[in-house]
Amino acid sequence: MRTKRHCRYPPPPSDQTPRRIGEDRISALPDALLIHILSYLPGIDAVKTGVLSKRWSRLWTWTPNLVFDQLGEWDEKSNNFVPFIDAFLVLHSSPKIQKLAIDMDYKKRLHLDNSMDEWLRFASGRAAEELNLQLSELGYVHSWDFRGNVERYLLPSFIYSNNSMKRLDMSFIDVQPSDAVSWPILQSLSIRSSLLTESTIQKILLGSPHLKILELNNCEGFDLLRIDSKSLKRLVIHGIWHPSGGIDDVLQISAPYILSLEISGHFYKRRVQLLDVSSLVDVVINLQVWVEDRRCVLVKYSNILREILRKIRHVEKLNVGACSMKANSDIGNSCAPDVLEEKKKCKILSMMKEIFWAFLVSGRKNLILNVEPTRRNISDIACFLQTSPKLESLQINLASFHGTSRKVVGPQKTSSSCLQLQFDPESYATLESYWTPKNRFSKHMLAQLRTVEIVGFNKTHDSNGIVIALVRSLLKHAKVLEKVAICAPEIEYDSDNTLVARKFLTFRRASRKALVQFS
Amino acid sequence: MITLRSSDGETFDLDEVVAVELQTIKNMMEDGCAESVIPVPNVEGKILAKVIEYCKKHVKSTAKAEEHALSDADLKAWDSDFIKLDQATLFDLIMAANYLDIKSLLDLLCQTVANMIKGKSPEEIRQIFNIKNDFTPEEEQEIRRENQWAFQ
């Protein structure tokens, strides 16, 4: 006996034909479209559609994407995850799959390793184009949980010869090919938390003639990363695995053909040194510092950063992360304040800054700084501008370091009383000193700057005065400036906005075309 | 300028740069069988209007379009507003995007439907989409037993 179906969504507008009410539109779609919809679902959801109706009973077995996430619906105590995947793969119908993705905790056990080998064999046999194996060490949450060399899953040898794979993502897996690697159509490779020897890396590069992107996250085991491959366009190195290593520990990178480089994350005591990176076009630097012994580490850090900046002077587009900017500004404060007098300290500070920035004049055209302008780092911002005479576009992302929310507190109306529209005179003076004629770089500074973008502006935040000082100073000196865009995503449109906008309109500008835009 | 005519006689004028977003139309243009007015017999006027609205927003940036091109974040925000649709329109759009071969729109719509299925029990999914359970009680029991491993 059929029960009456209730209409669960609001009644359609009256111009719709009555037959559409309560109709099962989804089952009317052709198989291919239903399977396409199912391809966006993780395995656990896809399989449930098998009991919806006869129409649906076998559709899920044709999904091209097999995605299994242990954190999804399995609690830690359940051991159903592995049998689930086994059963799913057994029932799967399609001779070709697009992707196999598994995200699970791992602890070395024979039967688990055997299951994983079988899953990979399945993926290879079905010509999977994308393989994503994210294993996490069971119980490992923070870097200080590191317990020494824990056994990882060893990637089986048949995987090193694969003609269908275009994308391979692995985490916490032992990559130790004993013979040659053959990944003829692999385009993107990402390896995390692995020990990789230089010879393994060379085997991989040799066997992947079309590799475009290589990402190494928290990997170790190599001191020289030499990439002679002409196909590789993008290299990402994110941190190293463990805070070990001595004073002379250096990671050297030689990649004369890559176009895009990202160096980020924690390198602890390891120094990063760039050798040949002559083709680079865009770079992201976001090195983090280990703060065990602040003073000497920061000075060493500044040397590392300086050397990197020197090697990438030719790079057109530079993005400096919040951590790198902050650490660089902190350098000046690494002198022991209790030993030196104020005056001497200031002199040493400015000398250190001068030494840092000497000979760093670059050819960059685009600069992105992730930084919250403060009185301490405003001179660094100015120095970046000073060493970028060809700069055409500047973007400042106002990062919030200390977790303080940048939301406007309180109702919008009363916030106008604490609207900070005054620029900070001290910062303004600092900036202006960089633009004075007697400063030898000032002639070319800002000469080509066309667009400035400030993202994350909040009208009641402390750093506003400094941001406004910066904008004012740029408007005053940039002769070909066309647009200053200020993105204030949390401000709703109200009268305060016109107040702020009007304030900017009062600033003197060197370029007649300059336009200040709020969004 | 290309003109499309819907199944109910409405006509829509498109710049060529927008028209090529619809792969089916693009193929017709390249094969030289695109006449002055291209009929789109499977798609109603109000659905075709929405399809064109999407394509205009997503047109690949040419030198001219770059000035008005939205950032990725803005485009995503626009997309999430665009998909706030009743089911009938949603499925009409899926059929239209499939027929006109607009990959990004089809992917967006299918992802939207997938999000409606994700995390729900079969009973809930049936209710949302009005899917009739046509298993006999015996068949249903058999299915449940077979698929026990899938439900824990």
Side-chain angles (χ1 to χ4, degrees), chain B residues 68-81:
Chain B
H68 307 286
L70 295 175
S71 71
D72 281 339
D74 290 336
L75 212 53
K76 271 210 165 81
W78 189 89
D79 281 353
S80 47
D81 267 341

Side-chain angles (χ1 to χ4, degrees), chain A residues 430-461:
Chain A
T430 310
L431 284 165
E432 289 293 298
S433 70
Y434 280 89
W435 300 181
T436 58
K438 62 179 179 153
N439 188 317
R440 63 174 182 260
F441 294 113
S442 65
K443 191 165 75 163
H444 299 290
M445 257 176 92
L446 309 181
Q448 316 235 20
L449 188 63
R450 285 219 187 87
T451 58
V452 174
E453 203 180 327
I454 312 244
V455 179
F457 183 76
N458 182 307
K459 60 187 173 180
T460 59
H461 202 271

Side-chain angles (χ1 to χ4, degrees), chain A residues 193-212:
Chain A
S193 305
S194 279
L195 271 174
L196 295 169
T197 62
E198 280 168 35
S199 118
T200 297
I201 296 175
Q202 289 311 316
K203 276 185 189 160
I204 291 174
L205 291 172
L206 214 62
S208 317
H210 290 102
L211 191 64
K212 291 204 181 88

Side-chain angles (χ1 to χ4, degrees), chain A residues 14-74:
Chain A
S14 51
D15 59 356
Q16 273 206 15
T17 49
R19 70 176 171 83
R20 292 192 175 184
I21 303 172
E23 195 181 339
D24 174 5
R25 291 297 308 272
I26 191 172
S27 303
L29 294 177
D31 279 1
L33 280 180
L34 285 179
I35 292 169
H36 190 49
I37 291 171
L38 292 175
S39 76
Y40 288 98
L41 292 173
I44 184 89
D45 289 301
V47 75
K48 285 182 187 161
T49 65
V51 303
L52 289 176
S53 75
K54 287 179 180 169
R55 168 97 178 82
W56 287 83
S57 57
R58 277 270 166 269
L59 284 174
W60 68 270
T61 66
W62 291 87
T63 177
N65 294 337
L66 283 69
V67 177
F68 305 103
D69 184 352
Q70 191 175 33
L71 279 179
E73 288 194 26
W74 283 268

Side-chain angles (χ1 to χ4, degrees), chain A residues 169-420:
Chain A
D169 261 296
M170 302 187 281
S171 177
F172 195 64
I173 289 181
D174 269 337
V175 182
Q176 292 167 14
S178 47
D179 298 317
V181 170
S182 170
W183 290 332
I185 62 170
L186 190 69
Q187 291 179 2
S188 162
L189 175 62
S190 164
I191 305 180
R192 173 195 293 272
S193 305
S194 279
L195 271 174
L196 295 169
T197 62
E198 280 168 35
S199 118
T200 297
I201 296 175
Q202 289 311 316
K203 276 185 189 160
I204 291 174
L205 291 172
L206 214 62
S208 317
H210 290 102
L211 191 64
K212 291 204 181 88
I213 303 173
L214 176 62
E215 260 190 53
L216 300 173
N217 293 329
N218 300 333
C219 289
E220 270 193 14
F222 50 96
D223 294 328
L224 169 63
L225 189 56
R226 196 215 301 284
I227 299 179
D228 293 321
S229 152
K230 292 197 180 146
S231 69
L232 195 71
K233 299 283 171 247
R234 179 167 161 75
L235 175 65
V236 175
I237 310 256
H238 185 90
I240 58 170
W241 176 28
H242 178 246
S244 60
I247 301 170
D248 291 325
D249 206 358
V250 172
L251 168 62
Q252 292 178 316
I253 299 174
S254 169
Y257 302 105
I258 59 168
L259 303 177
S260 165
L261 174 65
E262 179 174 330
I263 304 180
S264 56
H266 257 295
F267 283 83
Y268 303 103
K269 293 180 189 165
R270 198 141 221 240
R271 287 184 290 140
V272 177
Q273 200 176 63
L274 299 178
L275 301 178
D276 187 349
V277 284
S278 38
S279 306
L280 272 184
V281 168
D282 94 81
V283 177
V284 173
I285 302 181
N286 195 5
L287 290 172
Q288 296 195 55
V289 181
W290 179 252
V291 285
E292 202 176 70
D293 180 358
R294 237 191 137 73
R295 274 171 294 168
C296 68
V297 168
L298 281 178
V299 172
K300 191 175 91 170
Y301 177 86
S302 86
N303 289 336
I304 297 172
L305 188 62
R306 184 181 188 289
E307 278 313 299
I308 293 177
L309 284 176
R310 195 173 65 83
K311 273 289 182 175
I312 58 171
R313 276 175 301 162
H314 59 289
V315 175
E316 266 187 36
K317 186 166 173 193
L318 175 63
N319 179 321
V320 184
C323 297
S324 293
M325 284 278 338
K326 181 170 193 301
N328 196 35
S329 324
D330 282 350
I331 292 160
N333 300 294
S334 65
C335 305
D338 49 343
V339 173
L340 301 167
E341 310 152 7
E342 270 310 302
K343 235 189 188 174
K344 251 198 214 171
K345 180 178 157 191
C346 284
K347 194 169 175 210
I348 293 185
L349 258 172
S350 63
M351 267 172 62
M352 283 175 74
K353 291 269 176 180
E354 257 199 65
I355 295 171
F356 182 93
W357 289 103
F359 308 113
L360 284 186
V361 172
S362 73
R364 67 183 76 102
K365 293 189 184 163
N366 301 53
L367 179 61
I368 300 177
L369 299 176
N370 295 285
V371 66
E372 199 157 333
T374 61
R375 285 186 188 162
R376 270 203 332 201
N377 67 27
I378 196 72
S379 56
D380 282 316
I381 297 175
C383 286
F384 260 111
L385 293 174
Q386 198 176 51
T387 54
S388 318
K390 298 201 180 145
L391 196 67
E392 289 173 16
S393 102
L394 170 68
Q395 181 178 326
I396 299 194
N397 291 329
L398 298 172
S400 181
F401 276 99
H402 306 288
T404 48
S405 165
R406 289 185 67 89
K407 282 192 168 35
V408 176
V409 174
Q412 208 64 5
K413 291 269 171 5
T414 58
S415 65
S416 50
S417 56
C418 33
L419 236 187
Q420 289 207 15

Side-chain angles (χ1 to χ4, degrees), chain A residues 138-155:
Chain A
L138 194 59
Y140 183 103
V141 179
H142 301 287
S143 58
W144 53 82
D145 286 341
F146 181 76
R147 286 184 286 263
N149 204 6
V150 183
E151 282 191 279
R152 295 177 181 70
Y153 173 64
L154 180 65
L155 204 61

Side-chain angles (χ1 to χ4, degrees), chain A residues 2 5-6 8-9 16 20 22-27 29-30 33 36-37 40-42 44-45 47-54 56-58 60 73-74 78 80 84 87-88 91, chain B residues 44 46 86-89 91-92 94-95 98 106-107 110-111 113-114 117-122 125-135 139 143-144 146-147 149-152:
Chain A
R2 303 225 152 76
R5 298 247 163 257
H6 289 294
R8 278 250 147 186
Y9 47 89
Q16 273 206 15
R20 292 192 175 184
E23 195 181 339
D24 174 5
R25 291 297 308 272
I26 191 172
S27 303
L29 294 177
L33 280 180
H36 190 49
I37 291 171
Y40 288 98
L41 292 173
I44 184 89
D45 289 301
V47 75
K48 285 182 187 161
T49 65
V51 303
L52 289 176
S53 75
K54 287 179 180 169
W56 287 83
S57 57
R58 277 270 166 269
W60 68 270
E73 288 194 26
W74 283 268
S78 147
N80 287 335
F84 179 88
F88 196 105
L91 291 170
Chain B
E44 270 184 5
K46 77 179 178 98
D86 60 273
Q87 274 198 30
T89 312
F91 289 111
D92 282 338
I94 289 180
M95 295 297 287
N98 186 43
L106 188 61
D107 287 348
C110 288
Q111 171 82 76
V113 178
I117 298 176
K118 193 166 176 186
K120 307 267 188 338
S121 72
I125 300 173
R126 283 198 202 108
Q127 269 179 344
I128 294 172
F129 295 104
N130 281 307
I131 300 175
K132 209 186 301 190
N133 181 356
D134 56 357
F135 293 117
E139 283 171 340
I143 294 270
R144 290 266 168 192
E146 262 179 30
N147 290 309
W149 59 273
F151 300 87
Q152 330 126 40

Side-chain angles (χ1 to χ4, degrees), chain B residues 42-107:
Chain B
N42 310 23
V43 186
E44 270 184 5
K46 77 179 178 98
I47 300 295
L48 192 54
K50 272 212 107 49
V51 168
I52 291 171
E53 189 191 340
Y54 176 89
C55 292
K56 280 184 175 159
K57 265 292 189 267
H58 280 254
V59 72
K60 287 183 185 47
S61 44
T62 57
K64 185 182 165 200
E66 257 195 67
E67 288 170 12
H68 307 286
L70 295 175
S71 71
D72 281 339
D74 290 336
L75 212 53
K76 271 210 165 81
W78 189 89
D79 281 353
S80 47
D81 267 341
F82 181 81
I83 53 167
K84 289 177 181 156
L85 304 159
D86 60 273
Q87 274 198 30
T89 312
L90 184 60
F91 289 111
D92 282 338
L93 272 174
I94 289 180
M95 295 297 287
N98 186 43
Y99 174 71
L100 293 166
D101 197 356
I102 308 163
K103 186 175 187 319
S104 64
L105 177 57
L106 188 61
D107 287 348

